[in-house]
Amino acid sequence: MGVPKIALIGGGQIGGVLAQLFVTRRLGDVVIFDITQDMPSGKALDIAEASRIDGFDSKINGTNDYKDIAGADIVVVTAGVPRKPGMSRDDLLATNAKIISGVAENIKTYAPNAVVIVISNPLDAMVTLVQKATGFPPSRVIGQAGVLDSSRFASFIAWELGVSVKDVNAPVLGGHGDTMVPLIRYANVYGIPVLELLTRKYKDTKKASEVLEAIIARTRDAGGEVVRLLKTGSAFYSPASAAVQMAEAVIRDEKRVLPVCARLAGEFGVTGYYAGVLAALGKGGAEKILEFDLNAEEKAMFNNSLDAVKKLVEDMGRLGF
Ligand code: A3D
């Protein structure tokens, strides 16, 4: 690609941070599309006017016209509504499915070769809908959830152990909801299992397990914790960072292995459904899904999570999407 063109569908809280991150990291030219009149142009101008300070020459524009996303290489979708305190992600299904099906039609028309990264909730259902409505190869339609859920899990572990989060790997797979699957067995600090480090810290196996269970519970509820504090919307800095990491892997064809929402084709015994798995991201999107053995307990959690995803997709079908 020449200078990559990045289209952001939705210029709200996450969209604004995405735009700033993309240009300040010099990943390409950015177009922010939103249905709100003039707002995306205002955000784009505001970010562009810091170009001298942040040292970027990337173009950034806002628009209310889908024609301006023409030929985008990457499309990041945040259109829709976020949840408010007391709501689950699944409560957004009917509203966001209507919005996302319209968004998908326009992506199909104006950016037929793009890799699409979906962030709108309920994530697993919205990714499924975008793939179905665009008819793009499943590898080119992926969802952001696992990068953030895993970053939250890794952050809580790093804070507990007093080590740099850069040395923590802590994958969270499955659906992006209360049934998400933090993989304790694979959570490690430079290869050393987290449970072993906690057991040494507390010199007590039971206490170590309790601390880890509390970290897992906080990870599962991390989105809700932010919602309860913000009161007016949901997390937006961290989801934007997560999607930019995915987009960078695609733009630079890095083959980075990241936890993303990808469509399974037999992996982990699942076919035709989207779920959080580890995938290598390159210019083709999710180019390869990494399969590995899950023990009985992990498999049960993964299947439970998949059941929640299947139910969401069925509910969406009943709504006519
Ligand atoms: P918000 O600040 O409300 O931005 C959404 C934007 O979408 C607004 O500017 C709307 O004007 C715009 N919009 C509405 N309808 C359309 C349409 N038809 N076409 C184009 N734009 C439209 O929300 P946000 O940025 O905080 O969150 C966006 C989405 O991300 C929500 O669905 C959240 O639930 C979701 N979210 C996902 C995660 C994940 O990790 C998966 C995390 C946080 C939020």
Side-chain angles (χ1 to χ4, degrees):
M1 4 174 144
V3 177
K5 179 168 177 176
I6 302 155
L8 309 179
I9 311 299
Q13 295 279 69
I14 302 178
V17 181
L18 278 171
Q20 191 178 30
L21 289 175
F22 274 121
V23 291
T24 53
R25 294 191 190 174
R26 298 165 189 78
L27 287 167
D29 292 339
V30 171
V31 178
I32 312 171
F33 172 91
D34 202 289
I35 49 164
T36 307
Q37 204 63 31
D38 294 335
M39 180 274 281
S41 301
K43 283 204 179 180
L45 188 59
D46 188 16
I47 293 167
E49 287 172 355
S51 58
R52 173 68 178 85
I53 307 160
D54 289 322
F56 62 85
D57 288 306
S58 313
K59 297 191 191 81
I60 174 162
N61 288 298
T63 184
N64 301 125
D65 186 345
Y66 266 112
K67 285 197 192 77
D68 294 324
I69 75 158
D73 302 292
I74 303 271
V75 178
V76 186
V77 180
T78 62
V81 291
R83 57 187 169 140
K84 299 225 164 60
M87 288 174 91
S88 85
R89 296 175 179 92
D90 298 0
D91 293 336
L92 306 171
L93 184 67
T95 309
N96 283 353
K98 192 161 182 282
I99 292 171
I100 294 300
S101 63
V103 166
E105 283 303 323
N106 283 294
I107 295 173
K108 182 181 173 181
T109 304
Y110 293 103
N113 299 313
V115 170
V116 185
I117 299 171
V118 181
I119 308 184
S120 307
N121 272 320
L123 193 268
D124 307 281
M126 294 306 106
V127 187
T128 304
L129 181 55
V130 171
Q131 193 280 326
K132 193 174 143 198
T134 55
F136 288 1
S139 56
R140 276 210 281 125
V141 181
I142 52 184
Q144 186 303 113
V147 173
L148 172 55
D149 294 330
S150 303
S151 177
R152 286 169 167 161
F153 191 24
S155 301
F156 302 148
I157 290 168
W159 299 341
E160 167 63 31
L161 289 172
V163 299
S164 167
V165 72
K166 286 186 281 191
D167 299 313
V168 181
N169 279 314
V172 179
L173 304 190
H176 181 59
D178 301 336
T179 60
M180 65 179 77
V181 185
L183 285 182
I184 304 166
R185 211 158 51 96
Y186 292 97
N188 68 71
V189 179
Y190 219 98
I192 306 164
V194 166
L195 191 55
E196 180 177 342
L197 293 170
L198 285 172
T199 305
R200 282 173 189 272
K201 176 175 170 180
Y202 289 103
K203 299 180 181 57
D204 178 348
T205 323
K206 189 161 168 279
K207 171 74 179 160
S209 299
E210 281 168 11
V211 170
L212 194 49
E213 281 309 319
I215 288 176
I216 288 167
R218 189 173 181 196
T219 302
R220 287 210 167 100
D221 180 50
E225 187 181 0
V226 174
V227 169
R228 288 191 295 277
L229 290 166
L230 291 178
K231 297 186 177 69
T232 53
S234 53
F236 55 101
Y237 294 109
S238 56
S241 291
V244 169
Q245 185 177 53
M246 291 169 64
E248 181 167 13
V250 173
I251 289 165
R252 301 200 197 287
D253 195 23
E254 291 175 328
K255 322 289 185 201
R256 279 212 67 181
V257 175
L258 295 172
V260 302
C261 182
R263 198 168 83 166
L264 300 175
E267 297 89 354
F268 302 102
V270 179
T271 301
Y273 284 95
Y274 272 90
V277 288
L278 293 175
L281 299 196
K283 62 179 186 313
E287 295 180 353
K288 185 201 288 248
I289 291 172
L290 275 65
E291 204 176 4
F292 52 93
D293 283 336
L294 298 176
N295 65 25
E297 194 190 345
E298 291 157 354
K299 204 170 266 173
M301 283 198 292
F302 190 82
N303 289 341
N304 180 40
S305 195
L306 237 296
D307 287 345
V309 173
K310 285 179 185 165
K311 185 183 171 300
L312 257 181
V313 172
E314 277 164 22
D315 288 350
M316 192 163 68
R318 270 193 288 276
L319 291 168
F321 297 101

